[in-house]
Amino acid sequence: MKQSNEPEGSSQGDGRRLSVSVLASGSRGNATYISDGRTAILIDAGLSGVEIQRRMARKGLDPSSLDAILVSHEHADHIHGVGVLSRRFGLTVYINDGTRQASENALGKLSGFSPFSCGHAFTIGSLAIHPFSISHDAEDPAGFTISCNGGKVGVATDLGIATGVVKTHLQACDILILEANHDPQMLIDGPYPWPLKQRIRGRSGHLSNDDTALLLEVLQHDRLAHVILAHLSEENNTPDKARQAVKTVLNADSVRLHVASQAAGSSVLILR
C-alpha cells in the first residue's frame, strides 16, 4: 500500500481511526474520501481530476496516498474524474459489471479495475467493503459500508426509497452519509418540469428530507457519532430545511449533524 498522508490530528499509519471527508456532494459532482491511516479510497469521483486534487489539498489530504476508487453508479456526477485519476495515480477502480458496461466510454482506459457484486463483501487493503443494492435509475447502483477495527461508515446517496436492504446494511454505523435531496414542497413549487419532479419523487429518484428523517429514526443507536446530509438539491432544498427535518430525530447530546455542500463538501471527520 502507498504511504498514507492523513490530516493533522489523526493517527497516521496506526490503522485505528477512520478519517472521512465529503469532498463534494450534489448534482454537479460527488466524491468522498475515507481512510484508516493505512488504506485510502475515494467513493466516486464526479469532479474533474484537477478539482478533486485541489479539494483534497485544501483539507490536508494527499491524492498520491490514494489506493483505489470505489464507484457507486454510472451517472456523470459520480464518474467524471474516475478515469483520469486512475491513470494519473495508478489507482484500481472497483466497479460492478453493470456500472462498468454503462460507463465504459466515459471512463476510458483505467490503470486497473476490480469487479464487485452487490451483497458480496470484499477488502481494499485494510478496509472491509460491503456493497448493497439501492433504488436509483442506474444499471446496478450501490451503497456501501466501510469497516475497520470496529468502526463503520455507511454511505447511501442517490436512492429513491430506503428499502429493507438499505436499513439492514446501515445498522450500527458510527458515521452515516445519507442523501437529503429535497424539501417536498419546494420541489412541487419549484421550476422543474413535472416529469422531472415525478422522477425525483419516485422510487428510483432521490430521498426527501422527510424520508431521511424517517430512515434516521430507524438507524440511530448509542454509538452513532456523525451524520452527514448529502446530495442536497440547490434548487429544491436548503441546508436549514434539511437540518430542521432530521435534527428532531437525533440525539443532540451524542450525534453531530453536518451538511455537505456542493462547493466545499464537509470537514474531515476523525472517528476516534
Side-chain angles (χ1 to χ4, degrees):
M1 287 295 162
K2 301 176 184 177
Q3 178 80 26
S4 178
N5 186 12
E6 290 299 296
E8 186 177 354
S10 69
S11 58
Q12 180 173 335
D14 68 3
R16 297 188 180 185
R17 297 179 182 178
L18 283 168
S19 299
V20 178
S21 180
V22 177
L23 303 178
S25 186
S27 60
R28 291 186 286 115
N30 298 270
T32 297
Y33 169 91
I34 298 178
S35 175
D36 69 342
R38 296 178 180 177
T39 302
I41 64 172
L42 289 180
I43 298 179
D44 295 328
L47 304 169
S48 72
V50 168
E51 181 61 20
I52 287 176
Q53 290 178 242
R54 183 180 296 120
R55 293 192 182 207
M56 290 185 68
R58 287 175 185 163
K59 298 174 188 291
L61 306 171
D62 183 0
S64 67
S65 72
L66 290 169
D67 296 286
I69 303 174
L70 188 55
V71 176
S72 67
H73 65 288
E74 71 270 17
H75 291 167
D77 58 326
H78 292 260
I79 66 165
H80 180 65
V82 169
V84 67
L85 289 173
S86 172
R87 295 185 290 273
R88 184 172 296 161
F89 295 104
L91 304 178
T92 298
V93 175
Y94 289 76
I95 186 169
N96 66 38
D97 288 338
T99 301
R100 183 166 182 258
Q101 290 172 15
S103 60
E104 199 163 9
N105 290 338
L107 294 175
K109 184 178 180 181
L110 301 175
S111 176
F113 80 94
S114 182
F116 67 80
S117 298
C118 287
H120 297 274
F122 60 95
T123 59
I124 302 176
S126 51
L127 302 178
I129 315 294
H130 204 141
F132 54 92
S133 294
I134 58 175
S135 176
H136 193 53
D137 55 356
E139 286 299 319
D140 191 7
F144 303 100
T145 61
I146 298 91
S147 303
C148 181
N149 290 306
K152 182 179 179 182
V153 180
V155 182
T157 65
D158 293 72
L159 66 165
I161 57 171
T163 63
V165 168
V166 170
K167 294 172 184 177
T168 296
H169 282 277
L170 293 180
Q171 289 178 356
C173 287
D174 301 276
I175 297 176
L176 285 168
I177 303 172
L178 296 179
E179 176 171 61
N181 177 257
H182 61 277
D183 172 79
Q185 196 60 49
M186 282 186 70
L187 176 63
I188 292 298
D189 295 340
Y192 285 1
W194 185 247
L196 180 54
K197 293 178 182 181
Q198 290 288 77
R199 171 192 171 261
I200 292 170
R201 297 172 66 207
R203 292 175 63 87
S204 298
H206 294 277
L207 283 189
S208 71
N209 297 339
D210 297 341
D211 293 331
T212 304
L214 292 173
L215 177 57
L216 281 168
E217 279 191 295
V218 175
L219 298 178
Q220 185 168 225
H221 62 100
D222 291 343
R223 271 194 16 248
L224 179 61
H226 297 278
V227 172
I228 304 174
L229 302 180
H231 216 296
L232 273 68
S233 169
E234 294 178 298
E235 292 80 15
N236 303 307
N237 208 357
T238 69
D240 284 345
K241 284 184 180 293
R243 286 191 190 94
Q244 288 296 325
V246 305
K247 73 177 186 179
T248 57
V249 306
L250 294 175
N251 184 342
D253 294 330
S254 60
V255 182
R256 291 186 60 190
L257 180 62
H258 315 262
V259 178
S261 70
Q262 181 71 83
S266 75
S267 60
V268 179
L269 306 179
I270 299 173
L271 183 62
R272 300 183 183 280

